[in-house]
Amino acid sequence: MNQFELRIIESLKTKRDIHMETKEILQKKLKANLTQITHQSLNSTFFGYSEIYKQVIFIKFFSQEGKFLTEKAVNEQLNTRVLDTFVVKQTKQFVLVMKDLAPIDIKERITPDMAFDMGIELSQFHQKVKPFSGIYLNNQLFEKAKFDISSLQNEEIKSRLLQALVLFTEQKADIEEDIKAHATTV
């Protein structure tokens, strides 16, 4: 294994350790036996019955405050699911506790018509959400990219992404014009 692969493995171990520590803290604080939801997203999510709330809860935790605040604001605009929010100081994780929706996996094959209907639902969701304080609007994407890159720990990856950003920045005016012309949702 090369040095880069070793750093990735070490990073994954650290994230897994933080993840397990956060889960244990959440279970104690919420008096719940939590089950992790595994999915393609990079978010960490759990569900389980909470003695505190006397119902099944859905928990999502974030390492970035901005993503946490966005998720919270969107849910508060669209529904009444948010039960609590807090920060786990030991692991620096931002926690969103919500009522569970008990989603189910789609067992049958997803057809083009089903995918189209899902796209319509997703579009309607994005059109309902109104801008709020702290949201990154489409005209702030370059600033967000710089901020996100600067927060990375790995200097090699950070350097490579900054170089790529320079190439995109050369096209910034054209990209921003395209976004203004075609972006009609949050």
Side-chain angles (χ1 to χ4, degrees), residues 87-163:
V87 177
V88 177
K89 291 181 179 116
Q90 299 92 317
T91 60
K92 298 178 184 147
Q93 300 287 314
F94 300 88
V95 179
L96 185 60
V97 180
M98 297 183 284
K99 298 174 189 173
D100 189 40
L101 294 177
I104 57 170
D105 290 330
I106 298 172
K107 302 273 188 246
E108 66 267 20
R109 186 177 156 271
I110 297 178
T111 65
D113 286 340
M114 286 173 71
F116 183 81
D117 290 342
M118 290 175 186
I120 289 172
E121 286 294 320
L122 187 59
S123 171
Q124 290 172 350
F125 164 80
H126 282 278
Q127 291 174 31
K128 288 178 190 172
V129 176
K130 304 298 180 228
F132 48 86
S133 176
I135 191 170
Y136 286 105
L137 298 174
N138 285 337
N139 61 0
Q140 297 173 323
L141 292 177
F142 281 85
E143 290 75 15
K144 180 176 180 351
K146 286 179 197 172
F147 175 80
D148 288 348
I149 292 169
S150 70
S151 68
L152 294 174
Q153 301 292 325
N154 185 308
E155 293 299 326
E156 180 183 344
I157 293 173
K158 186 187 295 189
S159 174
R160 290 171 59 194
L161 287 174
L162 286 172
Q163 290 171 8

Side-chain angles (χ1 to χ4, degrees), residues 7 12-13 33 84 87 128 137 140 176:
R7 285 196 308 245
L12 291 173
K13 285 181 187 175
N33 184 14
D84 194 9
V87 177
K128 288 178 190 172
L137 298 174
Q140 297 173 323
E176 287 179 341

